[in-house]
Amino acid sequence: MKLTGDKLSLPNIFSYLRIILIPFIIYFLTIRTVEYLIYALLIFGFASFTDFIDGWLARKLKQESEFGKFIDPLADKFLVISALIAIIAIDPYFQIIDSWMIVIIAGRDILITVMRWLAIKKGKPLRTSRFGKFKTAFQMLSIVLIIMIYMSKRSGFFDAHESLPYWIMFTVTVMTALSGVRYIVTNWRLFFPEKKVKEN
Protein backbone atom coordinates (compact mmCIF):
# COMPACT_ATOMS: atom_id res chain seq x y z
CA MET A 1 0.00 0.00 0.00
CA LYS A 2 1.37 3.40 -1.00
CA LEU A 3 1.30 6.65 0.96
CA THR A 4 -1.61 8.18 -0.89
CA GLY A 5 -2.65 11.81 -0.71
CA ASP A 6 -1.64 15.25 -1.91
CA LYS A 7 1.88 15.77 -0.57
CA LEU A 8 1.56 19.55 -1.01
CA SER A 9 -1.78 19.93 0.72
CA LEU A 10 -2.04 22.74 3.29
CA PRO A 11 -2.01 20.39 6.32
CA ASN A 12 1.13 18.66 5.04
CA ILE A 13 2.83 22.02 4.41
CA PHE A 14 2.41 22.78 8.12
CA SER A 15 4.07 19.44 8.90
CA TYR A 16 6.99 20.38 6.63
CA LEU A 17 7.18 23.76 8.38
CA ARG A 18 7.81 22.01 11.71
CA ILE A 19 10.85 20.32 10.21
CA ILE A 20 12.10 23.51 8.52
CA LEU A 21 12.03 25.41 11.83
CA ILE A 22 14.26 22.87 13.63
CA PRO A 23 17.65 24.43 12.66
CA PHE A 24 16.51 27.85 13.88
CA ILE A 25 15.43 26.43 17.25
CA ILE A 26 18.74 24.62 17.71
CA TYR A 27 20.75 27.70 16.71
CA PHE A 28 18.93 30.00 19.15
CA LEU A 29 19.28 27.44 21.95
CA THR A 30 23.04 27.25 21.48
CA ILE A 31 23.46 31.04 21.89
CA ARG A 32 22.05 30.75 25.43
CA THR A 33 21.37 34.44 26.01
CA VAL A 34 17.95 35.48 27.33
CA GLU A 35 17.08 37.18 24.05
CA TYR A 36 17.89 34.14 21.91
CA LEU A 37 16.28 31.75 24.36
CA ILE A 38 13.08 33.78 23.94
CA TYR A 39 13.41 33.35 20.17
CA ALA A 40 13.90 29.60 20.63
CA LEU A 41 10.87 29.43 22.93
CA LEU A 42 8.62 31.37 20.54
CA ILE A 43 9.65 29.37 17.48
CA PHE A 44 9.37 26.04 19.29
CA GLY A 45 5.97 27.07 20.65
CA PHE A 46 4.77 27.97 17.18
CA ALA A 47 6.18 24.75 15.70
CA SER A 48 4.40 22.74 18.40
CA PHE A 49 1.15 24.60 17.68
CA THR A 50 1.35 23.61 14.01
CA ASP A 51 0.87 20.03 15.18
CA PHE A 52 -2.65 21.03 16.17
CA ILE A 53 -3.18 23.17 13.08
CA ASP A 54 -2.34 20.50 10.50
CA GLY A 55 -4.64 17.94 12.10
CA TRP A 56 -7.47 20.45 12.39
CA LEU A 57 -7.03 21.59 8.78
CA ALA A 58 -6.92 18.02 7.49
CA ARG A 59 -10.29 17.32 9.10
CA LYS A 60 -11.78 20.71 8.23
CA LEU A 61 -10.70 20.61 4.57
CA LYS A 62 -11.31 16.86 4.31
CA GLN A 63 -7.69 16.34 3.27
CA GLU A 64 -6.84 13.45 5.59
CA SER A 65 -4.57 10.97 3.81
CA GLU A 66 -2.19 8.09 4.44
CA PHE A 67 0.75 10.36 3.64
CA GLY A 68 -0.50 12.97 6.11
CA LYS A 69 -0.90 10.34 8.83
CA PHE A 70 2.72 9.35 8.21
CA ILE A 71 4.44 12.77 7.88
CA ASP A 72 2.58 14.46 10.75
CA PRO A 73 3.92 12.26 13.60
CA LEU A 74 7.30 12.02 11.83
CA ALA A 75 7.61 15.83 11.93
CA ASP A 76 6.74 15.73 15.65
CA LYS A 77 9.49 13.20 16.26
CA PHE A 78 12.11 15.25 14.40
CA LEU A 79 11.11 18.40 16.29
CA VAL A 80 11.13 16.86 19.77
CA ILE A 81 14.26 14.72 19.38
CA SER A 82 16.26 17.59 17.84
CA ALA A 83 15.32 19.93 20.69
CA LEU A 84 16.14 17.32 23.35
CA ILE A 85 19.52 16.57 21.77
CA ALA A 86 20.29 20.30 21.73
CA ILE A 87 19.34 20.61 25.42
CA ILE A 88 21.61 17.73 26.44
CA ALA A 89 24.45 19.15 24.31
CA ILE A 90 24.32 22.69 25.75
CA ASP A 91 23.44 22.01 29.39
CA PRO A 92 26.65 21.54 31.43
CA TYR A 93 24.77 19.43 34.00
CA PHE A 94 24.20 16.68 31.43
CA GLN A 95 27.04 14.23 30.82
CA ILE A 96 27.75 12.05 27.79
CA ILE A 97 26.39 9.09 29.71
CA ASP A 98 23.01 10.83 29.90
CA SER A 99 22.63 10.27 26.18
CA TRP A 100 20.86 7.02 27.10
CA MET A 101 17.71 9.12 27.39
CA ILE A 102 17.96 10.25 23.78
CA VAL A 103 18.68 6.66 22.72
CA ILE A 104 15.45 5.48 24.37
CA ILE A 105 13.35 8.37 23.03
CA ALA A 106 14.77 8.11 19.51
CA GLY A 107 14.65 4.30 19.59
CA ARG A 108 10.99 4.34 20.53
CA ASP A 109 10.17 6.78 17.74
CA ILE A 110 12.12 4.77 15.16
CA LEU A 111 10.27 1.64 16.28
CA ILE A 112 6.87 3.34 15.95
CA THR A 113 7.82 4.69 12.51
CA VAL A 114 8.73 1.15 11.39
CA MET A 115 5.46 -0.15 12.81
CA ARG A 116 3.53 2.58 10.99
CA TRP A 117 5.29 1.61 7.74
CA LEU A 118 4.47 -2.08 8.31
CA ALA A 119 0.84 -1.17 8.98
CA ILE A 120 0.64 0.82 5.74
CA LYS A 121 2.38 -1.97 3.80
CA LYS A 122 -0.07 -4.56 5.11
CA GLY A 123 -3.05 -2.26 4.65
CA LYS A 124 -3.88 -2.35 8.33
CA PRO A 125 -4.42 0.52 10.77
CA LEU A 126 -1.84 1.19 13.44
CA ARG A 127 -3.69 1.05 16.73
CA THR A 128 -2.99 4.26 18.61
CA SER A 129 -4.15 5.61 21.95
CA ARG A 130 -4.72 8.87 23.72
CA PHE A 131 -1.66 8.08 25.81
CA GLY A 132 0.53 8.44 22.72
CA LYS A 133 -0.93 11.87 21.96
CA PHE A 134 -0.56 12.88 25.60
CA LYS A 135 3.07 11.75 25.46
CA THR A 136 3.80 14.05 22.51
CA ALA A 137 2.08 16.99 24.22
CA PHE A 138 4.00 16.28 27.43
CA GLN A 139 7.31 16.15 25.54
CA MET A 140 6.65 19.52 23.91
CA LEU A 141 5.47 21.08 27.17
CA SER A 142 8.56 19.76 28.94
CA ILE A 143 10.87 21.35 26.36
CA VAL A 144 9.04 24.66 26.76
CA LEU A 145 9.45 24.37 30.55
CA ILE A 146 13.18 23.60 30.28
CA ILE A 147 13.76 26.61 27.98
CA MET A 148 11.84 28.81 30.45
CA ILE A 149 14.07 27.51 33.27
CA TYR A 150 17.14 28.51 31.27
CA MET A 151 15.61 31.95 30.65
CA SER A 152 14.80 32.50 34.32
CA LYS A 153 18.32 31.49 35.38
CA ARG A 154 19.96 33.73 32.78
CA SER A 155 17.81 36.70 33.74
CA GLY A 156 18.25 36.10 37.47
CA PHE A 157 14.48 35.98 37.93
CA PHE A 158 14.46 32.48 39.42
CA ASP A 159 17.51 30.34 40.11
CA ALA A 160 16.20 26.80 39.80
CA HIS A 161 18.42 23.90 40.83
CA GLU A 162 20.71 22.86 37.99
CA SER A 163 19.38 19.28 38.12
CA LEU A 164 15.77 20.29 37.37
CA PRO A 165 16.07 19.98 33.54
CA TYR A 166 17.63 16.55 34.08
CA TRP A 167 14.66 15.27 36.07
CA ILE A 168 12.21 16.74 33.58
CA MET A 169 14.09 14.93 30.83
CA PHE A 170 14.11 11.73 32.91
CA THR A 171 10.32 11.92 33.31
CA VAL A 172 9.92 12.46 29.55
CA THR A 173 12.09 9.41 28.89
CA VAL A 174 10.08 7.16 31.20
CA MET A 175 6.77 8.30 29.70
CA THR A 176 8.13 7.82 26.17
CA ALA A 177 9.30 4.29 27.00
CA LEU A 178 5.90 3.39 28.48
CA SER A 179 4.21 4.73 25.37
CA GLY A 180 6.45 2.53 23.21
CA VAL A 181 5.62 -0.56 25.26
CA ARG A 182 1.92 0.18 24.87
CA TYR A 183 2.29 0.42 21.08
CA ILE A 184 4.12 -2.91 20.96
CA VAL A 185 1.51 -4.66 23.11
CA THR A 186 -1.40 -3.42 20.97
CA ASN A 187 0.30 -3.88 17.57
CA TRP A 188 2.61 -6.87 18.03
CA ARG A 189 0.97 -8.81 15.17
CA LEU A 190 2.51 -6.37 12.67
CA PHE A 191 5.92 -7.97 13.23
CA PHE A 192 4.80 -11.39 12.08
CA PRO A 193 3.85 -12.56 8.58
CA GLU A 194 0.16 -13.01 7.93
CA LYS A 195 -1.14 -16.53 7.71
CA LYS A 196 -2.25 -17.39 4.21
CA VAL A 197 -5.70 -18.82 3.86
CA LYS A 198 -5.60 -22.16 2.06
CA GLU A 199 -7.83 -22.46 -0.94
CA ASN A 200 -9.97 -25.57 -1.24
Side-chain angles (χ1 to χ4, degrees):
M1 184 175 181
K2 294 182 179 180
L3 293 174
T4 58
D6 182 6
K7 295 177 176 57
L8 293 179
S9 66
L10 187 57
N12 289 337
I13 288 174
F14 274 101
S15 295
Y16 301 146
L17 182 59
R18 266 201 308 288
I19 298 174
I20 292 171
L21 290 174
I22 290 173
F24 297 96
I25 296 169
I26 294 175
Y27 173 74
F28 290 138
L29 281 174
T30 57
I31 302 299
R32 300 196 69 189
T33 63
V34 174
E35 180 182 3
Y36 282 92
L37 285 171
I38 291 174
Y39 293 156
L41 180 63
L42 291 176
I43 296 175
F44 183 83
F46 172 74
S48 300
F49 185 63
T50 63
D51 183 33
F52 165 78
I53 294 176
D54 59 15
W56 180 81
L57 283 174
R59 292 186 295 271
K60 189 75 173 179
L61 301 176
K62 296 181 179 180
Q63 293 182 340
E64 294 177 287
S65 65
E66 291 301 323
F67 180 79
K69 292 176 183 178
F70 184 81
I71 193 64
D72 177 26
L74 190 63
D76 293 341
K77 293 171 176 54
F78 281 140
L79 176 66
V80 169
I81 292 175
S82 298
L84 292 177
I85 290 175
I87 288 171
I88 284 184
I90 67 174
D91 193 322
Y93 187 84
F94 286 93
Q95 305 296 324
I96 294 296
I97 194 173
D98 295 322
S99 297
W100 67 268
M101 292 189 239
I102 294 297
V103 171
I104 289 179
I105 293 172
R108 179 266 182 198
D109 288 343
I110 291 171
L111 176 64
I112 300 305
T113 300
V114 170
M115 292 173 67
R116 195 177 301 277
W117 178 80
L118 287 173
I120 292 171
K121 185 178 179 181
K122 294 184 177 183
K124 294 185 176 181
L126 180 68
R127 296 176 63 185
T128 59
S129 67
R130 291 183 178 179
F131 184 69
K133 295 179 179 179
F134 176 77
K135 180 271 306 176
T136 300
F138 183 78
Q139 286 178 330
M140 292 178 174
L141 182 62
S142 297
I143 292 170
V144 168
L145 183 58
I146 290 174
I147 296 174
M148 291 179 68
I149 290 171
Y150 291 154
M151 287 168 52
S152 66
K153 291 183 71 173
R154 287 287 178 179
S155 64
F157 177 74
F158 176 69
D159 190 16
H161 194 274
E162 60 182 2
S163 67
L164 186 55
Y166 175 91
W167 291 112
I168 293 174
M169 184 85 78
F170 181 85
T171 304
V172 168
T173 305
V174 172
M175 182 170 292
T176 302
L178 291 175
S179 173
V181 171
R182 183 179 178 86
Y183 265 94
I184 293 173
V185 170
T186 55
N187 296 278
W188 62 270
R189 290 182 178 85
L190 291 173
F191 294 103
F192 297 94
E194 297 178 353
K195 293 182 179 179
K196 295 183 179 180
V197 179
K198 295 183 178 179
E199 296 182 359
N200 295 328

